[in-house]
Amino acid sequence: MQLPDSLRLIDQHDWLKGLLGCTVHPAIPTNTPGLRVADVATGTAIFLLDLAKTLPADAQLYGFDISTAQFPAPEARPSNVFLHEHSVTNPFPEDYHGYFDIVAVRLITAGLRGDDWDAAVKNLNVLLKPGGYLQWIEPVHSSLQIFNSKVGAPNSAAREAVQYFLEAYKMTLYPGPLQLPALCLKYKLDDIVMEVFATDHFPDFEKVRSQGKLFLSGACTAMFPFLVKDESSALTAEHADEVVKRAMEEMEGEIYLHSEMQFVVRRKSSLPI
């Protein structure tokens, strides 16, 4: 039986794949014999399990995560999928230095603060072979906005919830993934792809609405306490609860959450630095 959080991560993977139209960006070659792929912050390893269906059996797929709680049991994964406990902010064992053709990361903004971003890029760069590819997908939270799909649909509480979230985001996580281009340049990773996808580009509009509601609910739960504890903020716990309650009711109507996903692909130089 899968845990609720595992089901959420699997659904999130399917939604992201539907939004972007791929698991691995087409700019990244996957036909290398004996291809080695690392998925960092792998969670349920759904990215690797999905990828294993399309790659030859000689591909080697490694997942790393700060926790093993969501890992599928050994008997539930192919023999070429290997999972290990490791945090992206810590240096990887030397056995994995220069080992991978592709390193994939996605949706870890909430787990990184300050210098964590620099440490993460540095550690991921070390994993890549010369000529290897880094693929990184993150939400651009500063783009969050409530849109109406019908004139007159109530949206005041949802807009207020987004505003409070953005205030907390700027206090804690900003600039987040907006740093990636500069950090990749710092570590000599060549610019291959920089693409931004609007989440309302997803072909199933009802999924846009439900995903937006789910995200806003979770984001408010995670971030509002930072404002409530901040003496300079006028937000109280009682008002926060009321805003979230009314926002969730409004999100059942003719409004939706617009956000953006940043899709970055970089390549490690094949020449000595």
Side-chain angles (χ1 to χ4, degrees), residues 37-40 42 48 61-65 71 81-85:
V37 180
D39 180 35
V40 180
T42 194
L48 296 177
L61 310 178
Y62 289 75
F64 300 92
D65 200 280
F71 286 1
V81 173
F82 312 95
L83 304 179
H84 304 279
E85 185 174 2

Side-chain angles (χ1 to χ4, degrees), residues 228-241:
V228 171
K229 294 175 186 176
D230 183 8
E231 294 180 358
S232 66
S233 171
L235 183 65
T236 64
E238 293 76 16
H239 185 58
D241 290 343

Side-chain angles (χ1 to χ4, degrees), residues 146-219:
I146 294 294
F147 282 6
N148 274 48
S149 55
K150 182 178 180 180
V151 67
N155 66 14
S156 60
R159 289 189 292 107
E160 186 176 5
V162 168
Q163 186 57 43
Y164 281 135
F165 167 78
L166 290 175
E167 288 181 25
Y169 174 68
K170 289 176 182 176
M171 289 170 53
T172 55
L173 299 176
Y174 186 83
L178 298 179
Q179 304 170 80
L180 283 178
L183 289 172
C184 288
L185 182 64
K186 175 181 177 180
Y187 289 104
K188 307 294 191 297
L189 290 163
D190 297 334
D191 185 355
I192 303 298
V193 167
M194 174 63 173
E195 298 171 351
V196 178
F197 290 78
T199 55
D200 45 10
H201 161 78
F202 193 85
D204 180 353
F205 187 68
E206 284 308 310
K207 191 68 173 179
V208 171
R209 287 154 53 90
S210 64
Q211 262 323 105
K213 179 183 177 183
L214 185 64
F215 171 81
L216 187 58
S217 174

